[in-house]
Amino acid sequence: MNRKTLVLPAVIGLLAPVLTACGGSDGGDESGDAIVVGTTDRFSVSSSAPAPLDPAYAYDAGSWNILRQTIQTLMHLPRGGGEPEPEAAERCGFTDNGNERYECTLRDDLKFSDGGDVTAEDVKFSIDRVLGIKHKNGPAGLLANIDTIEASGEHKVVFHLKSGDATFPYKLATPAAGIVNPESYKANKLRDGFRVDGSGPYTLEAETKKNKLVKAVFTKNPHYKGALKPKSDNKIELRSFDDAGAMGKSLESGDIDMMARSMQPEQIKKLADDATDKIEFVEMSGLEMRYLGFDTDAPEVKEKAVRQAMAQLVDRGEITSKVYGATAEPLYSLVPATITGHTNSFFNKYGGVPSTDKARSLLEKAGIRTPVKLTLNYTTDHYGAGTKKEFELLRDQLNSSGLFDVKIKGTEWLKFRAAELDGEYAVYGMGWFPDFPDADNFIAPFLDKDNFLASPYANRTIRDTLIPQSRQETDRLSASDSIEAVQDIVANDVPVLPLWQGKQYVAARDDITGVQWALNSSSNLQLWELGRGVGE
């Protein structure tokens, strides 16, 4: 079959899948074989990362891909994007005009995977636990606007917020607000290891080797009651690979049925141009972004002019074209181009063409001696093989100006993330897969109190005025003025330097159905959409 890649527009800032192959229908399975999904995400238990699958600790795309299959949330994002819809809840909504009181009524007969009842008190326990533990690696900041949670009877949960937040339903759709079984989780202590006990559509059996998860086996939860409808009775396996090349070979040989993140740009080009009759390929607009983060207290980059000079010298177009090709495009803001409220603030301030003269002027006016010595830190094993090439190019771009003396250093993810949170890096490279597709989730996690990066940067106008203003607006278009003002401040102060945003891709054997729905608008796996049909 001759497959052509079609490009469909994103709708209302969300993601539109593009299917470039034939495949079966959404019908039931004709085989009892497990559906095997490959990933390059790695999951390890160590002293610095003792509880990778505890909702109070987990705050990365890989861990959330496991939790979304096993831990139920009050709300969820529908398969085609749009506003959050009830999942464990029967109904939810604000009960005041200021978006400060949010009430949910649970579905009848909700059960944990062990058959125990799920009650409003369990919901309160689960979210209070995340906020109480408040682990520096965890997602507590996402829920920090909660003042108190009230459990009213068996089925009603009421959230009292510190300030109005129209995006709160999105936050209740994330694993940060996942419902866990109080019989298995302590209120004030992380649950070490790879055990997960929830009320989601699947249960988890973890196969480990030397403290690493090599295979996650999902089995349909017979007690599950919720909005999600698993398309297959088969088990689904999530298998971890050391690199995208090995994962791709396993797909070609039929050892696995589907692969998602992260693929190499060369693989993506080959699949798009030369897909075989037995492989289907899905390309989607993406909200993934990459950026440089700064410890604004570090002596090397404490002066704003240093960070501005870097913004003036970085050539995003060269990075995307030489390293990532058609899989990425330059990003000139913290907010991706397809999200309501986006503006090209960095382009407007620094232009699209790097300028050594302008960078030199910034440094001279601030009285900074050159060359400025810096180390750019990156992770070797979390975002794919292109990361090293990207940082080599960033180093060369900065050094070629004569204004910087840059070295690069790569570190494995577990050590890298711990060091970043402990403030050991002046400059570091990170990626962001959004918790939900709203501008707030590209701003608050980096700039609000208790932010994801543990950044010392604090702008009172952003935190006290602009973020609260934007959250008051139920109509997100009406929040654009506040959101754009935040982006302009970030372009001026450069606590974060956005580099590029990427598309997302899935490749699967031709007999796997539901592939076009396997990723949601926040790049999270929805394994319940997969089934095994008949290839054409």
Side-chain angles (χ1 to χ4, degrees):
M1 173 178 293
N2 182 22
R3 290 166 171 78
K4 299 291 186 182
T5 300
L6 305 178
V7 180
L8 300 184
V11 180
I12 320 177
L14 300 181
L15 304 181
V18 183
L19 184 62
T20 63
C22 56
S25 68
D26 281 344
D29 294 349
E30 296 190 7
S31 168
D33 294 341
I35 297 172
V36 184
V37 178
T39 180
T40 56
D41 287 320
R42 302 187 202 181
F43 312 91
S44 300
V45 170
S46 67
S47 58
S48 61
L53 300 182
D54 188 321
Y57 176 89
Y59 199 12
D60 65 88
S63 297
W64 275 21
N65 278 339
I66 291 179
L67 292 178
R68 286 187 183 275
Q69 324 307 319
T70 52
I71 300 290
Q72 201 170 15
T73 51
L74 291 170
M75 304 290 284
H76 78 109
L77 296 179
R79 54 149 55 170
E83 299 291 324
E85 296 177 352
E87 208 290 78
E90 181 179 276
R91 59 183 178 276
C92 288
F94 287 106
T95 60
D96 66 332
N97 294 326
N99 294 336
E100 294 181 351
R101 187 181 187 276
Y102 195 78
E103 184 177 297
C104 289
T105 301
L106 300 182
R107 295 175 184 268
D108 291 334
D109 300 322
L110 285 178
K111 304 283 186 184
F112 287 111
S113 58
D114 66 359
D117 292 336
V118 177
T119 68
E121 283 290 348
D122 298 325
V123 177
K124 173 178 167 58
F125 167 86
S126 300
I127 298 177
D128 278 342
R129 178 177 177 272
V130 172
L131 292 169
I133 291 176
K134 199 179 179 180
H135 195 279
K136 63 182 180 180
N137 184 78
L142 196 60
L143 306 172
N145 195 36
I146 295 174
D147 187 14
T148 58
I149 306 172
E150 173 189 351
S152 178
E154 292 288 307
H155 292 88
K156 186 176 292 186
V157 185
V158 182
F159 298 91
H160 300 276
L161 307 183
K162 298 173 184 176
S163 60
D165 185 2
T167 71
F168 188 65
Y170 283 103
K171 295 168 184 176
L172 291 183
T174 70
I179 307 166
V180 298
N181 192 336
E183 297 295 322
S184 303
Y185 294 80
K186 294 182 179 179
N188 58 359
K189 186 177 184 296
L190 292 175
R191 186 182 188 185
D192 295 351
F194 296 111
R195 293 286 301 277
V196 180
D197 286 283
S199 55
Y202 296 98
T203 60
L204 170 68
E205 180 183 349
E207 183 177 311
T208 63
K209 183 178 182 181
K210 295 182 179 180
N211 292 325
K212 294 182 179 180
L213 179 66
V214 295
K215 184 190 299 182
V217 181
F218 300 101
T219 303
K220 278 184 69 174
N221 175 10
H223 300 291
Y224 172 71
K225 302 217 174 187
L228 308 178
K229 307 297 181 188
K231 302 300 187 296
S232 171
D233 290 329
N234 292 5
K235 291 183 177 182
I236 299 179
E237 296 180 8
L238 187 64
R239 190 176 299 174
S240 184
F241 287 83
D242 289 339
D243 59 74
M247 180 172 64
K249 289 179 181 178
S250 289
L251 180 68
E252 291 175 4
S253 68
D255 288 340
I256 65 173
D257 298 295
M258 189 183 92
M259 65 178 186
R261 69 181 296 252
S262 297
M263 299 184 211
Q264 298 169 346
E266 297 83 1
Q267 284 179 310
I268 292 168
K269 186 177 187 306
K270 180 181 178 182
L271 286 165
D273 294 342
D274 303 310
T276 70
D277 286 347
K278 294 189 178 297
I279 303 290
E280 60 180 349
F281 182 63
V282 182
E283 172 192 311
M284 307 175 190
S285 301
L287 298 179
E288 171 191 1
M289 58 175 278
R290 300 288 172 82
Y291 58 92
L292 292 179
F294 297 93
D295 178 351
T296 53
D297 282 348
E300 305 96 310
V301 295
K302 187 172 184 178
E303 292 294 330
K304 179 169 62 176
V306 174
R307 307 191 301 270
Q308 290 177 326
M310 293 176 69
Q312 191 68 72
L313 293 171
V314 166
D315 188 340
R316 296 168 177 83
E318 185 181 33
I319 292 171
T320 55
S321 64
K322 288 188 176 181
V323 181
Y324 298 105
T327 68
E329 55 189 16
L331 179 62
Y332 293 92
S333 170
L334 269 181
V335 179
T338 51
I339 294 292
T340 300
H342 162 82
T343 185
N344 286 314
S345 296
F346 276 82
F347 186 92
N348 296 337
K349 184 169 180 64
Y350 302 101
V353 179
S355 171
T356 298
D357 289 341
K358 290 180 180 178
R360 180 180 293 110
S361 177
L362 286 165
L363 295 172
E364 288 178 349
K365 287 180 181 178
I368 295 169
R369 295 180 62 182
T370 59
V372 178
K373 292 186 177 182
L374 289 177
T375 298
L376 305 187
N377 293 275
Y378 67 95
T379 174
T380 57
D381 60 346
H382 197 64
Y383 300 121
T387 306
K388 182 180 179 182
K389 297 178 184 177
E390 177 181 351
F391 273 74
E392 289 172 342
L393 193 51
L394 281 168
R395 175 198 61 200
D396 294 346
Q397 289 177 356
L398 294 171
N399 287 347
S400 66
S401 70
L403 302 173
F404 287 87
D405 180 4
V406 171
K407 297 179 180 179
I408 61 173
K409 181 181 179 182
T411 306
E412 64 179 5
W413 172 250
L414 288 179
K415 294 179 180 178
F416 174 88
R417 176 62 171 151
E420 182 271 312
L421 288 171
D422 288 340
E424 295 182 19
Y425 300 148
V427 190
Y428 50 89
M430 292 280 282
W432 182 247
F433 295 83
D435 308 318
F436 53 89
D438 185 274
D440 182 81
N441 196 237
F442 294 90
I443 291 173
F446 305 100
L447 305 172
D448 211 351
K449 184 180 178 183
D450 299 324
N451 60 75
F452 167 74
L453 298 176
S455 171
Y457 174 79
N459 183 287
R460 303 269 42 113
T461 300
I462 291 176
R463 290 187 180 181
D464 297 343
T465 302
L466 296 175
I467 289 177
Q469 279 181 355
S470 70
R471 288 174 174 171
Q472 290 284 349
E473 300 292 346
T474 303
D475 178 0
R476 301 310 287 156
L477 186 60
S478 300
S480 293
D481 287 347
S482 299
I483 294 167
E484 290 174 7
V486 171
Q487 293 167 83
D488 289 342
I489 292 172
V490 170
N492 183 69
D493 291 355
V494 200
V496 178
L497 178 56
L499 298 173
W500 55 268
Q501 72 180 82
K503 300 174 184 177
Q504 58 181 7
Y505 304 89
V506 176
R509 305 292 296 182
D510 201 36
D511 63 335
I512 301 300
T513 62
V515 176
Q516 67 270 40
W517 306 114
L519 288 176
N520 72 5
S521 59
S522 296
S523 302
N524 295 130
L525 285 173
Q526 302 182 139
L527 298 181
W528 55 86
E529 295 285 358
L530 299 179
R532 191 181 295 280
V534 179
E536 296 177 7

Short mmCIF file of all heavy atoms in Angstrom, two decimals, residues 19 44 56 62 76 94 111 129 189 246 269 329 375 382 415 438 466 491:
data_model
loop_
_atom_site.label_atom_id
_atom_site.label_comp_id
_atom_site.label_asym_id
_atom_site.label_seq_id
_atom_site.Cartn_x
_atom_site.Cartn_y
_atom_site.Cartn_z
N LEU A 19 -3.91 9.96 10.21
CA LEU A 19 -3.64 8.54 10.04
C LEU A 19 -3.11 8.29 8.64
O LEU A 19 -3.72 8.69 7.66
CB LEU A 19 -4.94 7.75 10.26
CG LEU A 19 -4.84 6.23 10.23
CD1 LEU A 19 -3.92 5.73 11.33
CD2 LEU A 19 -6.22 5.61 10.36
N SER A 44 12.95 3.57 37.20
CA SER A 44 13.90 2.97 38.14
C SER A 44 13.55 3.40 39.56
O SER A 44 13.01 4.48 39.78
CB SER A 44 15.34 3.40 37.82
OG SER A 44 15.71 3.01 36.52
N ALA A 56 1.84 11.14 44.52
CA ALA A 56 2.40 12.25 45.28
C ALA A 56 3.83 12.56 44.86
O ALA A 56 4.37 13.61 45.24
CB ALA A 56 2.34 11.96 46.77
N GLY A 62 6.26 9.76 31.44
CA GLY A 62 6.34 8.31 31.49
C GLY A 62 5.56 7.71 32.64
O GLY A 62 4.78 6.77 32.46
N HIS A 76 -11.81 13.65 33.11
CA HIS A 76 -10.84 13.18 32.11
C HIS A 76 -11.01 14.01 30.84
O HIS A 76 -12.03 14.66 30.64
CB HIS A 76 -11.03 11.69 31.80
CG HIS A 76 -12.18 11.40 30.88
ND1 HIS A 76 -12.00 10.98 29.59
CD2 HIS A 76 -13.53 11.49 31.06
CE1 HIS A 76 -13.18 10.81 29.01
NE2 HIS A 76 -14.12 11.10 29.88
N PHE A 94 -18.71 24.24 38.90
CA PHE A 94 -18.62 25.35 39.85
C PHE A 94 -20.02 25.70 40.34
O PHE A 94 -20.99 25.67 39.58
CB PHE A 94 -17.98 26.57 39.18
CG PHE A 94 -16.51 26.43 38.95
CD1 PHE A 94 -16.01 26.20 37.67
CD2 PHE A 94 -15.61 26.53 40.00
CE1 PHE A 94 -14.64 26.06 37.45
CE2 PHE A 94 -14.25 26.40 39.79
CZ PHE A 94 -13.76 26.17 38.51
N LYS A 111 -15.63 1.17 42.65
CA LYS A 111 -14.86 0.18 43.42
C LYS A 111 -13.37 0.33 43.12
O LYS A 111 -12.97 0.62 41.99
CB LYS A 111 -15.28 -1.24 43.03
CG LYS A 111 -16.77 -1.55 43.19
CD LYS A 111 -17.13 -1.80 44.63
CE LYS A 111 -18.59 -2.25 44.73
NZ LYS A 111 -19.00 -2.40 46.15
N ARG A 129 -3.42 14.06 50.52
CA ARG A 129 -2.13 13.36 50.67
C ARG A 129 -1.07 13.98 49.77
O ARG A 129 0.08 14.21 50.20
CB ARG A 129 -2.33 11.88 50.34
CG ARG A 129 -1.09 11.03 50.41
CD ARG A 129 -1.41 9.56 50.14
NE ARG A 129 -0.19 8.76 50.14
CZ ARG A 129 0.58 8.56 49.08
NH1 ARG A 129 0.20 9.08 47.90
NH2 ARG A 129 1.68 7.85 49.18
N LYS A 189 3.43 9.48 53.86
CA LYS A 189 4.64 8.79 53.42
C LYS A 189 4.45 8.24 52.01
O LYS A 189 3.39 7.73 51.67
CB LYS A 189 4.96 7.63 54.39
CG LYS A 189 6.29 6.91 54.13
CD LYS A 189 6.53 5.84 55.19
CE LYS A 189 7.87 5.17 55.02
NZ LYS A 189 7.98 4.42 53.76
N ALA A 246 16.27 0.15 18.86
CA ALA A 246 15.87 -1.21 19.25
C ALA A 246 14.35 -1.34 19.26
O ALA A 246 13.79 -2.37 18.87
CB ALA A 246 16.44 -1.54 20.62
N LYS A 269 10.92 10.04 9.70
CA LYS A 269 10.96 10.34 8.26
C LYS A 269 10.76 9.07 7.44
O LYS A 269 10.01 9.06 6.45
CB LYS A 269 12.30 10.99 7.90
CG LYS A 269 12.36 11.47 6.44
CD LYS A 269 13.67 12.17 6.15
CE LYS A 269 13.65 12.79 4.76
NZ LYS A 269 13.31 11.86 3.69
N GLU A 329 9.48 22.56 15.40
CA GLU A 329 9.51 23.90 14.84
C GLU A 329 9.92 24.89 15.93
O GLU A 329 9.70 24.65 17.12
CB GLU A 329 8.15 24.27 14.26
CG GLU A 329 7.00 24.15 15.22
CD GLU A 329 5.66 24.31 14.53
OE1 GLU A 329 5.58 24.22 13.29
OE2 GLU A 329 4.67 24.55 15.25
N THR A 375 28.38 26.16 31.82
CA THR A 375 28.16 24.76 31.49
C THR A 375 26.68 24.55 31.24
O THR A 375 25.85 24.90 32.09
CB THR A 375 28.63 23.82 32.62
OG1 THR A 375 30.03 23.99 32.81
CG2 THR A 375 28.34 22.36 32.27
N HIS A 382 16.60 10.72 28.56
CA HIS A 382 15.18 10.97 28.84
C HIS A 382 14.41 11.50 27.64
O HIS A 382 13.22 11.23 27.51
CB HIS A 382 15.06 11.96 30.00
CG HIS A 382 13.70 11.99 30.64
ND1 HIS A 382 13.14 10.90 31.29
CD2 HIS A 382 12.78 12.97 30.73
CE1 HIS A 382 11.95 11.22 31.75
NE2 HIS A 382 11.70 12.46 31.41
N LYS A 415 19.75 11.17 38.11
CA LYS A 415 20.71 12.06 38.77
C LYS A 415 20.53 13.50 38.30
O LYS A 415 20.66 14.45 39.08
CB LYS A 415 22.13 11.58 38.49
CG LYS A 415 22.46 10.24 39.12
CD LYS A 415 23.89 9.81 38.79
CE LYS A 415 24.22 8.46 39.42
NZ LYS A 415 25.60 8.02 39.07
N ASP A 438 -3.91 24.02 28.13
CA ASP A 438 -4.32 25.39 28.40
C ASP A 438 -3.07 26.20 28.71
O ASP A 438 -2.10 25.67 29.27
CB ASP A 438 -5.29 25.44 29.59
CG ASP A 438 -5.84 26.84 29.83
OD1 ASP A 438 -5.19 27.62 30.55
OD2 ASP A 438 -6.93 27.14 29.30
N LEU A 466 -1.23 38.55 37.30
CA LEU A 466 -1.54 38.04 35.96
C LEU A 466 -2.06 36.60 35.97
O LEU A 466 -3.03 36.28 35.27
CB LEU A 466 -0.32 38.16 35.06
CG LEU A 466 0.13 39.60 34.80
CD1 LEU A 466 1.43 39.62 33.99
CD2 LEU A 466 -0.97 40.37 34.05
N ALA A 491 10.01 37.01 28.29
CA ALA A 491 10.97 37.33 27.23
C ALA A 491 11.96 38.39 27.69
O ALA A 491 13.13 38.39 27.26
CB ALA A 491 10.23 37.81 25.99
#
